[in-house]
Amino acid sequence: MALLRSILFVLIFYPGSVVMVLAALAAIPFGQEAIIASSRRWAIWHRWCARWILGIRTQVIGDLPKHGVLYAIKHEAMYETIETLVVFHRPVVVMKKELADLFGWGYVARRMGVIPVDREAGAAAMRHMIAAAKIAKASNRPVVLFPEGTRVPHGEKPELRAGFAGLYKVLGLPVVPIALDSGKIWPKGFVKRPGIVTFKVGETIPPGLPREEAEARVYQAINALN
């Protein structure tokens, strides 16, 4: 049954996504807010397909501030990269450059304000990420970062990448760490399993802490569901 659900998801979600991306491209002349709204509709489409085809839904434990924060999120599956557009209010998501370069969607994502990061570019990538994050802060949009840098199987706890410390220091924003367990039902393989993906909101971390302390608190909080 899980295999059949996964096949149906591919056959329904991706063709529908083509329509959604075309609609987002058509919204570009109407400004960034129209693009953000179109992108959120695509994420709602993804949530609907996940819920009614795959039997996967999201639950959020805790309160999510809408403005002026840096979200640091565990990353275990593609699921949360799209779900962030629904869970958070007008987020600016830091994502790897390869996703921001995808035909059609990549152009929309950049116009929406995502921050693409080329992990091979070193210091130059860090400078670009920080500059773009400052723009997001000025517009009072929350910044969403996957501090591990890449998705990992459920249960693994890699060290945080340097990008988190850089953003934390420069932006001076409180950090809201979020643990999740999507890897249990949305693994890297083709077959997805029905279940609940939990977003567990950790205690807000104030700005200005020493790097080691901030990283330790984020590390512990985002792995709370492992």
Side-chain angles (χ1 to χ4, degrees):
M1 180 61 71
L3 175 60
L4 177 59
R5 284 173 177 259
S6 299
I7 293 171
L8 286 175
F9 177 81
V10 170
L11 294 176
I12 294 173
F13 170 68
Y14 287 101
S17 293
V18 172
V19 176
M20 296 288 183
V21 170
L22 290 174
L25 287 168
I28 288 175
F30 300 96
Q32 190 179 63
E33 290 302 319
I35 301 170
I36 292 172
S38 293
S39 300
R40 189 173 190 276
R41 283 192 290 271
W42 173 63
I44 291 172
W45 165 245
H46 175 263
R47 174 180 276 194
W48 188 93
C49 290
R51 174 69 180 90
W52 297 109
I53 300 174
L54 295 174
I56 297 173
R57 61 187 179 89
T58 296
Q59 69 170 352
V60 178
I61 300 175
D63 297 324
L64 295 169
K66 290 185 176 182
H67 308 289
V69 295
L70 172 61
Y71 283 108
I73 310 176
K74 184 74 177 177
H75 190 15
E76 295 185 353
M78 185 192 79
Y79 183 82
E80 59 266 13
T81 62
I82 303 176
E83 189 72 0
T84 55
L85 301 178
V86 183
V87 171
F88 306 113
H89 178 69
R90 302 173 66 251
V92 174
V93 183
V94 180
M95 63 173 60
K96 59 184 179 180
K97 184 175 180 291
E98 293 92 331
L99 294 177
D101 288 341
L102 290 175
F103 178 75
W105 164 247
Y107 185 70
V108 171
R110 289 174 183 269
R111 296 297 294 269
M112 184 177 65
V114 302
I115 303 174
V117 177
D118 183 356
R119 289 177 291 184
E120 304 300 323
M126 177 70 74
R127 288 193 297 269
H128 173 75
M129 179 176 66
I130 289 173
K134 285 182 177 179
I135 294 174
K137 177 183 178 181
S139 64
N140 207 26
R141 295 173 64 185
V143 178
V144 176
L145 174 71
F146 299 103
E148 295 163 321
T150 188
R151 60 182 176 176
V152 297
H154 184 71
E156 291 192 6
K157 304 176 182 180
E159 295 298 319
L160 307 187
R161 295 289 184 94
F164 165 73
L167 286 182
Y168 175 72
K169 179 179 179 180
V170 172
L171 294 183
L173 292 173
V175 178
V176 179
I178 297 182
L180 55 80
D181 54 3
S182 58
K184 293 193 301 183
I185 58 179
W186 194 292
K188 285 188 176 182
F190 179 77
V191 178
K192 312 299 186 280
R193 295 185 289 272
I196 298 174
V197 174
T198 299
F199 283 65
K200 183 178 181 181
V201 184
E203 182 180 351
T204 299
I205 300 168
L209 296 178
R211 173 177 177 172
E212 294 77 10
E213 181 179 352
E215 287 185 332
R217 291 177 65 171
V218 168
Y219 181 84
Q220 181 179 11
I222 68 173
N223 288 297
L225 294 177
N226 279 317

